[in-house]
Amino acid sequence: MGEKPLRVLACGDVEGKITALFNRVNAIQRKSGEFDVLLCAGDFFGTSPEAVAEWETYQSGAKKAPIHTYILGAASQDTVKYFPSSDGCELAENIIYLGRRGIFTGASGLQIAYVSGREAQQDPAPAHCFTSKDLTALVTPLMSNSKFKGVDILLTSQWPRGVWQYGNNPEIDIKFCGVSSIANLAEKLKPRYHFAALEGAYYERLPYRNHVVLQENAQHVSRFIALAAVNNPGKKKYLYAFNIVPMKNMDPAELVKQPQDVTESPYRKALKEGRKETHPYIGPSEEPPSQFFFDLGQKKKPQQQRQQHFCSEQQHGAGRKRQSDREAAGQPKQPRRPPQPTGPCWFCLASPEVEKHLVISIGTHCYMAVAKGCLTPDHVLLLPIGHYQSVVDLPSDVVEELEKYKSAVRKYHESRGQRCVLFERSYRSLHLQLQVLHVDRQFQSPTFPIAPPGTPYFYVELDTGEKLFYRIKKNFPLQFGREVLASEAVLNIPTRSDWRECKYSKDEEEALTKRVRSDFQPFDFSLDD
C-alpha cells in the first residue's frame, strides 16, 4: 500500500550503561540514518555508584537521549526507586517509562503491548513484579474486540517459557528459563515481534505461525528475539534494528505471508506442559491419560470396562500384535485405529484436557457430556471417544453407536414432553461434537445431501427426521448454532448466545451433570449388561 515503514531499535538490559548505549545508537544512526524509536526490555537502571551518577546527568538535563526511548519498569527491587509510580511517565528528556503494563499506540498506529518486571511468586506482589491480574487487565480489552488480530510489538522483561519448542535452541540452560504466564500472553496477543531480556543471551527464534494449517485462515507470523545486556563481556548482540509497517496499515495479503523457515507455534506444546487451559465445552483434567477411569456414581458394566480397555490400549499401544499375526492365528480382525491428534485435543476422552466431571455416559465408541457454558440445563454433547473430525469420517461401528445415543436422547426429551434439535459444525473444529438440546418450535428444512470427508459444513437434525445441510465456503460464524437457538424466535434467551457468558462454578457443573445423568439413566443403553 506504499506505507512508509517505521525504523525501530530494540535493546536488552541496559543496567545503567546509558551513555554506552546512546553512543552505540549514535554510531548506528550516523551509518544507517535516523531511527524513529528505541525500545528497551529488561533492567534499564543499574545499582552501582557509577550508574547512579550517570543517570543523574540525564535526569538533570546535562545529557539528552538522542532518540525517543521507551523503557520497562524495574525487574529487581534495587531499581524500584527510579520509578515514581506504576503509571507511565517521562523520567528524563526523551526517556519514557511505559508503565506497569498496557498498550502504547503511536501516532503512526504502531501498537506496542508491554509488561514490566518479573512474575510475582508471592502475594502481595513486590513492586517489581506483575501478577495474573495485570495480564488479564492487559488481554481482556483486546480479546473482547472481534476485529483483534494481534499487536505489532510485545515488550517483556522475562522470556516466555518453552518458546524454543519446534524451533532452534538458545545457547543457555533452559531448565529454569522463562515463565508460562508470558507464553500465555504471547499466544493470546500474537505479536509480530516479541522482545525480552534478563537471561544475558542473544536468541532469535525462527518465526512461528499463529494459525493451524488447513484448519484456520492464515494469520501473520510472530518473531521472538531475546537480547543480551549492553556492553556484555561476551560481545553478544544487545541491539536489534528492524523496519515495520503498523499492522492496521498493511494489505491483509501482505500481512499473512509466510516465510520459508516458519514453524508451528511453540506455545501449544509449552502451555500444555506448563498448565491446563479451559475450553468452551470440556476443560482441564488433573489426571494423566493413563488414569482413564470414571466414577459415574454406579457400578461399572461390561461395556464400560471394554471401553476403558480400548482407551488404555489406544493411548499406549503396547503389546499389540500386528494385524497379519492375528489373522494368521485365526483371531478376529481388529477395528481400525482412529486418527491421532497432532496436538492437544479437548474432546478425545483419553486426553488430560477433558473435564471428567461433565461426563454423563460412556459407551464403547462414543460418550455423552454436559456442554461447558451450556445454553440450557439439558444442553449436551455427543462425541466419539477416538479422534474423528466429523460424522463423515466415522467408521460404521462408531456411527452405529452414535445413532444409539441420538435415539436415546430423543426418547429422553420425549419423556419430558420436549422436542430436541441436534447440530454439528464441521468447520474450524478438530474433533466431532454433536450438540443436542430441547426446542419448543418446529423447523422447516430441505433434504440432506452427502458431503465427502474434509468438506466444511453445518448440519442440523430434528427429532422428526428433518435435516438441514449447509456447505460452508468461508467466513461462517462459529457460534451460529447457539445464536439461532438462543434467538427470540426459538428459546428466547439471546443473552446466552455466547458460551463465555454462561459460566458455572465447578460445584454447579457437578450438580448439573449429576442431575442430567440421573434423568438420562433410564435411556442409557451403555448401562445394559
Side-chain angles (χ1 to χ4, degrees), residues 12-86:
D13 303 276
V14 180
E15 296 178 340
K17 300 171 184 174
I18 304 172
T19 300
L21 168 63
F22 290 147
N23 286 344
R24 179 63 181 149
V25 169
N26 282 330
I28 291 172
Q29 293 195 125
R30 283 194 298 269
K31 181 179 180 180
S32 305
E34 297 292 312
F35 280 76
D36 298 291
V37 66
L38 168 64
L39 306 174
C40 298
D43 256 326
F44 185 80
F45 293 104
T47 56
S48 68
E50 295 79 11
V52 173
E54 188 171 316
W55 169 241
E56 289 176 353
T57 63
Y58 288 91
Q59 198 173 32
S60 66
K63 290 184 178 180
K64 175 186 172 180
I67 186 174
H68 291 299
T69 304
Y70 294 88
I71 71 172
L72 292 178
S76 65
Q77 189 62 45
D78 293 336
T79 59
V80 168
K81 61 184 179 182
Y82 291 102
F83 300 93
S85 74
S86 61

Side-chain angles (χ1 to χ4, degrees), residues 141-152:
L142 295 172
M143 299 293 288
S144 63
N145 185 345
S146 60
K147 296 182 179 179
F148 177 71
K149 296 179 180 178
V151 297
D152 291 301

Side-chain angles (χ1 to χ4, degrees), residues 191-211:
R192 295 164 66 196
Y193 286 87
H194 179 183
F195 294 98
L198 294 185
E199 298 292 343
Y202 166 66
Y203 170 59
E204 183 171 3
R205 191 204 185 279
L206 292 171
Y208 62 88
R209 58 176 67 94
N210 286 297
H211 64 277

Side-chain angles (χ1 to χ4, degrees), residues 52-221:
V52 173
E54 188 171 316
W55 169 241
E56 289 176 353
T57 63
Y58 288 91
Q59 198 173 32
S60 66
K63 290 184 178 180
K64 175 186 172 180
I67 186 174
H68 291 299
T69 304
Y70 294 88
I71 71 172
L72 292 178
S76 65
Q77 189 62 45
D78 293 336
T79 59
V80 168
K81 61 184 179 182
Y82 291 102
F83 300 93
S85 74
S86 61
D87 298 324
C89 60
E90 188 172 53
L91 301 178
E93 188 174 359
N94 263 2
I95 301 178
I96 300 98
Y97 163 47
L98 285 167
R100 184 182 181 92
R101 45 81 182 154
I103 299 289
F104 174 82
T105 304
S108 64
L110 187 75
Q111 199 171 47
I112 303 171
Y114 57 87
V115 177
S116 293
R118 300 175 184 267
E119 181 182 65
Q121 301 296 318
Q122 61 192 72
D123 188 22
H128 67 285
C129 295
F130 63 84
T131 66
S132 59
K133 290 182 179 179
D134 287 315
L135 302 186
T136 300
L138 172 58
V139 168
T140 301
L142 295 172
M143 299 293 288
S144 63
N145 185 345
S146 60
K147 296 182 179 179
F148 177 71
K149 296 179 180 178
V151 297
D152 291 301
I153 298 171
L154 173 60
L155 201 63
T156 65
S157 287
Q158 285 185 295
W159 288 31
R161 179 69 184 163
V163 67
W164 47 86
Q165 303 283 0
Y166 305 128
N168 48 314
N169 290 321
E171 296 180 353
I172 58 170
D173 183 0
I174 61 174
K175 187 175 182 180
F176 301 107
C177 178
V179 292
S180 295
S181 59
I182 295 296
N184 183 26
L185 180 70
E187 188 221 7
K188 286 181 166 59
L189 296 189
K190 302 176 184 178
R192 295 164 66 196
Y193 286 87
H194 179 183
F195 294 98
L198 294 185
E199 298 292 343
Y202 166 66
Y203 170 59
E204 183 171 3
R205 191 204 185 279
L206 292 171
Y208 62 88
R209 58 176 67 94
N210 286 297
H211 64 277
V212 179
V213 176
L214 301 180
Q215 298 294 329
E216 299 174 319
N217 293 331
Q219 300 180 44
H220 61 272
V221 301

Side-chain angles (χ1 to χ4, degrees), residues 382 384 388-396 398-399 402-403 406 422-426 431-434 448 451 453 457 459 461:
L382 304 180
Y388 297 99
Q389 188 175 4
S390 67
V391 165
V392 295
D393 293 318
L394 297 178
S396 59
V398 182
V399 171
L402 190 61
E403 289 298 325
K406 288 161 61 175
L422 174 151
F423 67 91
E424 175 200 0
R425 170 178 53 80
S426 179
H431 192 116
L432 165 63
Q433 308 143 49
L434 292 181
F448 174 62
Y457 62 83
Y459 168 59
E461 182 177 325

Side-chain angles (χ1 to χ4, degrees), residues 236-498:
K236 299 173 184 176
K237 188 171 183 175
Y238 64 85
L239 266 179
Y240 185 93
F242 65 105
N243 296 338
I244 186 170
V245 175
M247 186 184 300
K248 66 185 292 287
N249 300 332
M250 286 191 69
D251 177 81
E254 189 69 25
L255 176 64
V256 301
K257 280 187 176 179
Q258 308 288 301
Q260 289 186 345
D261 57 351
V262 68
T263 77
E264 292 298 318
S265 169
Y267 303 126
R268 288 187 179 90
K269 180 176 180 180
L271 290 176
K272 179 184 176 184
E273 293 175 348
R275 62 173 174 80
K276 303 289 192 298
E277 290 188 300
T278 299
H279 188 272
Y281 295 108
I282 296 178
S285 163
E286 296 178 356
E287 294 183 16
S290 57
Q291 294 298 111
F292 188 54
F293 295 95
F294 290 80
D295 180 8
L296 302 183
Q298 60 229 351
K299 185 178 179 180
K300 290 182 174 63
K301 304 296 183 181
Q303 196 168 21
Q304 291 173 284
Q305 294 169 350
R306 289 196 301 272
Q307 179 267 327
Q308 290 166 350
H309 172 73
F310 163 76
C311 282
S312 177
E313 187 175 283
Q314 174 189 328
Q315 191 69 27
H316 302 288
R320 292 179 297 178
K321 294 182 179 180
R322 292 180 300 171
Q323 190 70 32
S324 58
D325 293 340
R326 283 199 185 96
E327 292 170 356
Q331 297 179 13
K333 187 176 181 180
Q334 296 296 308
R336 186 182 63 180
R337 190 182 185 191
Q340 299 301 297
T342 57
C345 179
W346 309 100
F347 302 107
C348 288
L349 193 52
S351 169
E353 276 76 25
V354 172
E355 237 175 293
K356 296 187 292 294
H357 70 278
L358 295 174
V359 174
I360 297 169
S361 169
I362 306 170
T364 305
H365 306 291
C366 302
Y367 72 101
M368 176 176 167
V370 169
K372 189 87 169 175
C374 51
L375 188 56
T376 62
D378 54 17
H379 182 182
V380 300
L381 303 177
L382 304 180
L383 311 105
I385 290 170
H387 187 73
Y388 297 99
Q389 188 175 4
S390 67
V391 165
V392 295
D393 293 318
L394 297 178
S396 59
D397 51 353
V398 182
V399 171
E400 182 180 351
E401 185 167 270
L402 190 61
E403 289 298 325
K404 285 185 177 181
Y405 267 112
K406 288 161 61 175
S407 177
V409 172
R410 289 191 193 102
K411 291 176 181 177
Y412 161 73
H413 283 292
E414 286 174 5
S415 73
R416 303 168 70 85
Q418 298 172 336
R419 302 288 308 284
C420 67
V421 63
L422 174 151
F423 67 91
E424 175 200 0
R425 170 178 53 80
S426 179
Y427 172 68
R428 293 178 65 177
S429 58
L430 296 177
H431 192 116
L432 165 63
Q433 308 143 49
L434 292 181
Q435 305 197 39
V436 191
L437 64 161
H438 84 269
V439 291
D440 301 316
R441 294 178 184 268
Q442 191 171 4
F443 288 101
Q444 298 295 325
S445 60
T447 58
F448 174 62
I450 300 299
T455 302
Y457 62 83
F458 186 84
Y459 168 59
V460 176
E461 182 177 325
L462 303 183
D463 53 6
T464 60
E466 294 175 281
K467 300 172 183 177
L468 179 147
F469 174 86
Y470 175 74
R471 182 168 292 182
I472 297 172
K473 295 180 180 178
K474 62 177 181 179
N475 300 330
F476 189 81
L478 299 183
Q479 297 298 322
F480 177 75
R482 285 187 68 114
E483 289 169 0
V484 170
L485 292 172
S487 67
E488 294 179 1
V490 187
L491 292 173
N492 195 23
I493 46 174
T495 57
R496 297 184 66 81
S497 61
D498 188 341

